[in-house]
């Protein structure tokens, strides 16, 4: 095929999306069961089944289903003891949801930079803040500058890869802070042989449409702490003290997941292990070519990690590659390939200007250079080869 006719055929290609669901298991069957039995709302057997399945998958004791991952984070932070006016250490390089959840409580984020190797929360940054900026007083920990109480650490396992959690856990124990994992992007990943979502005191998952499994929209809190699990259930169901008399002694939320969506979740969970291996295969297919391309650095996997490669992401060095990440994005877009940069680091978000100023140069650089490539479980080998062909074609 000559260049001109190849171009023609490229234009006719259908869009290759960044990440779309694969629904080829028992989704129809289980949802139909809900419709046939009338159990469509917030109570029903699939809710409990789904909670059990996810908790068991990460070897945790308890699961509490929620309407989305952000709601799960809001409740998990509250259950972990975070109160209005407190501070929570959080990765700056993340989708904004966990920082919003901190603010819902009226607490404040302390933004921690990413480390350059795997782009996750930097344990050194956590240590520097706790050691240099904080002070213990009356059995509690305070930020010396703001005077606020420091209450929890919220590492976000981004893009399917775990945070290096051992050194963070060690600090958490030393300073007596609970670790609340945002594991929404990394269901199925593991860290030193332990499942992500069972590395801290409490963790959150999301089943939004672009996540590794989906319920259309949904979330889950998992924990080994039975009291916390019960409290999370209580808070997500309007904090109802008496099911008959409707007595409430505190403010609750309606954050429940419906049986209908939990049914879909059960069907998706049956396919999760296969989805993880497919994502890993997609990543190795990409890396086989991209490892040798000057100016392109694929996301790597730590020796202590098993990543799901939820979104396969590369760094684009403008000098060595010839164009920057955003120009590459537009080039791929012209060929109907959907890609996406990483989020604006949240310490730069206008929404959080009143939370203080933070210096996070690694997150800033990753934001400038990163591009996530199409990573759907259902992507074909042919589509991957096409993405690679366009990506490595001469920049005009
Ligand atoms: C997807 C996601 C969430 C939760 O998202 P929901 O859409 O509310 O389910 C939270 N944190 C991160 C890092 C995410 O990527």
């Amino acid at each position: 095929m000559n260049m001109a006719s190849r171009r023609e055929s490229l234009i006719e290609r259908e869009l290759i999306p960044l990440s779309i669901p694969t629904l080829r298991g028992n989704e129809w069957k289980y949802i139909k069961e809900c419709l046939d039995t009338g159990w469509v709302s917030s109570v029903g057997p699939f809710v409990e089944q789904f909670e059990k399945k996810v908790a068991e998958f990460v070897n945790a004791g308890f699961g509490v289903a929620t309407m989305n991952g952000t709601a799960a984070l809001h409740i998990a932070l509250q259950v972990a003891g975070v109160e209005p006016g407190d501070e929570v250490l959080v990765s700056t390089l993340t989708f904004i949801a966990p920082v919003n959840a901190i603010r819902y409580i009226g607490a404040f984020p302390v933004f921690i930079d990413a480390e350059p190797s795997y782009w996750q929360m930097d344990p050194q940054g956590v240590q520097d803040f706790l050691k240099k900026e904080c002070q213990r007083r009356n059995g509690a920990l305070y930020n010396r500058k703001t005077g606020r109480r420091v209450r929890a650490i919220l590492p976000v396992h981004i893009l399917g890869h775990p945070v290096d959690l051992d050194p963070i856990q060690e600090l958490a124990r030393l300073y007596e802070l609970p670790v609340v994992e945002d594991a929404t992007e990394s269901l199925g990943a593991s860290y030193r042989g332990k499942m992500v979502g069972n590395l801290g005191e409490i963790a959150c998952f999301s089943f939004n449409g672009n996540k590794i499994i989906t319920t259309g929209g949904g979330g889950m809190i998992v924990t080994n702490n039975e009291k916390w699990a019960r409290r999370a259930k209580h808070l997500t169901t309007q904090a109802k003290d008496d099911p008959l008399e409707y007595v409430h002694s505190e403010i609750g939320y309606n954050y429940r997941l419906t049986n209908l969506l939990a049914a879909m979740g059960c069907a998706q969970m049956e396919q999760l292990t296969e989805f993880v291996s497919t994502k890993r295969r997609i990543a190795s297919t990409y890396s086989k070519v991209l490892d040798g391309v000057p100016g392109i650095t694929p996301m790597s996997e730590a020796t202590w990690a098993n990543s799901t490669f939820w979104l396969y992401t590369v760094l684009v060095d403008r000098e060595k590659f010839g164009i920057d990440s955003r120009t590459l994005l537009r080039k791929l877009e012209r060929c109907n390939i959907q890609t996406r940069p990483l989020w604006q680091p949240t310490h730069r978000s206008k929404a959080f200007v009143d939370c203080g100023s933070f210096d996070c140069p690694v997150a800033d650089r990753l934001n400038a250079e990163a591009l996530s490539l199409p990573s759907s479980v259902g992507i074909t080998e042919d589509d991957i080869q096409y993405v690679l062909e366009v990506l490595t074609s001469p920049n005009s």
Side-chain angles (χ1 to χ4, degrees), residues 312-331:
Y312 184 84
T313 305
V314 298
L315 299 183
V316 184
D317 181 325
R318 191 174 60 85
E319 299 295 315
K320 294 193 189 117
F321 187 66
I323 55 175
D324 68 12
S325 62
R326 304 313 194 263
T327 310
L328 178 58
L329 178 149
R330 287 190 295 273
K331 174 180 165 179

Side-chain angles (χ1 to χ4, degrees), residues 68-70 73 94-95 97-98 156 182 184-185 206 208 211 218:
N68 58 53
T70 311
L73 284 159
T94 173
F95 176 57
V156 186
D182 182 336
T184 50
E185 298 186 3
S206 163
N208 185 34
K211 299 299 202 280

Side-chain angles (χ1 to χ4, degrees), residues 47-69:
V47 176
E48 274 168 43
Q49 251 184 64
F50 187 40
E51 289 174 338
K52 213 166 147 225
K53 265 185 202 286
V54 175
E56 272 173 7
F57 183 82
V58 301
N59 304 311
F62 309 93
V64 176
T66 58
M67 63 196 280
N68 58 53

Side-chain angles (χ1 to χ4, degrees), residues 65-191:
T66 58
M67 63 196 280
N68 58 53
T70 311
L73 284 159
H74 182 190
I75 296 301
L77 286 166
Q78 202 167 319
V79 166
V82 178
E83 292 176 11
D86 287 345
E87 291 187 353
V88 177
L89 284 74
V90 63
S91 316
T92 186
L93 189 63
T94 173
F95 176 57
I96 205 162
V99 191
N100 277 338
I102 292 168
R103 296 296 294 127
Y104 295 165
I105 294 185
F108 294 90
V110 174
F111 295 108
I112 304 294
D113 202 1
E115 39 77 19
S117 305
Y118 312 106
W119 319 346
Q120 311 292 328
M121 176 186 255
D122 187 358
Q124 189 60 50
V126 174
Q127 173 167 327
D128 288 348
F129 174 76
L130 293 174
K131 272 208 170 130
K132 296 176 187 160
E133 315 264 340
C134 295
Q135 176 181 35
R136 248 189 244 265
R137 205 169 352 110
N138 306 326
L141 191 69
Y142 291 88
N143 180 336
R144 229 185 267 124
K145 217 180 320 165
T146 61
R148 295 183 193 125
R149 184 164 177 187
V150 178
R151 212 53 183 275
I153 307 177
L154 205 176
V156 186
H157 309 283
I158 63 164
L159 300 170
H161 193 287
V163 174
D164 186 8
L165 221 58
D166 277 354
I168 291 174
Q169 270 292 9
E170 203 172 304
L171 290 160
R173 271 191 293 272
L174 185 64
Y175 291 92
E176 297 177 78
L177 301 170
V179 170
V180 180
E181 286 176 86
D182 182 336
T184 50
E185 298 186 3
S186 298
L187 174 62
S190 61
Y191 173 73

